[in-house]
Amino acid sequence: MGCLGNASIGSIIFCIGSGALLMNVFTYGSLTFDRRWSLVVRGSYRSQPARVGGFARFAVTGQDYPGVLRQPGGQVDGRLYFDVEPADLARLDHFEGADYERVATEAALVQ
């Protein structure tokens, strides 16, 4: 399964598959902010705060965006966007660039 989310060099990207054509996307950096998200995608998507376990967020040296690494017991808070269209997944992919890793995982919704 392909997946997409927010990323940086050496970081891990999260997504939760919801179907063959649409995908839920977990973001943990600049794309958690509606203003940034809406500059990248064309569609309007429902979203909710979420958390992913087994990872930790860290500062990327010399960059203004975070990364994440696997860390037992760690948690990363972010935002889960629901049923993102393939065209917007491609836009997100372009925004992130080639230096990221895609990882399918599970996210828990938080209140």
Side-chain angles (χ1 to χ4, degrees), residues 8 12-13 15 19 22 27-28 31 34 49 63 77 80 83 87 99 102 104 109:
S8 59
I12 298 174
I13 300 163
C15 75
L22 304 178
T27 63
Y28 61 87
L31 290 172
D34 289 336
Q63 301 299 328
D77 289 332
L80 185 62
D83 299 325
D99 294 324
R102 297 176 182 198
L109 300 178

Side-chain angles (χ1 to χ4, degrees), residues 2-110:
C3 56
L4 180 67
N6 193 24
S8 59
I9 296 172
S11 70
I12 298 174
I13 300 163
F14 302 100
C15 75
I16 298 84
S18 65
L21 298 176
L22 304 178
M23 194 168 292
N24 296 342
V25 178
F26 176 83
T27 63
Y28 61 87
S30 64
L31 290 172
T32 62
F33 300 103
D34 289 336
R35 183 179 173 114
R36 174 61 64 135
W37 174 265
S38 65
L39 290 174
V40 177
V41 302
R42 300 281 189 268
S44 178
Y45 301 102
R46 185 173 60 89
S47 68
Q48 188 169 337
R51 180 174 293 135
V52 171
F55 295 87
R57 184 186 332 245
F58 66 94
V60 177
T61 303
Q63 301 299 328
D64 60 354
Y65 51 80
V68 296
L69 292 173
R70 289 188 187 275
Q71 180 177 318
Q75 293 184 344
V76 176
D77 289 332
R79 187 152 207 91
L80 185 62
Y81 292 90
F82 299 96
D83 299 325
V84 178
E85 303 262 346
D88 280 332
L89 292 173
R91 287 180 185 96
L92 290 163
D93 211 10
H94 178 76
F95 173 79
E96 294 300 345
D99 294 324
Y100 65 88
E101 180 184 355
R102 297 176 182 198
V103 175
T105 190
E106 293 184 16
L109 300 178
V110 296

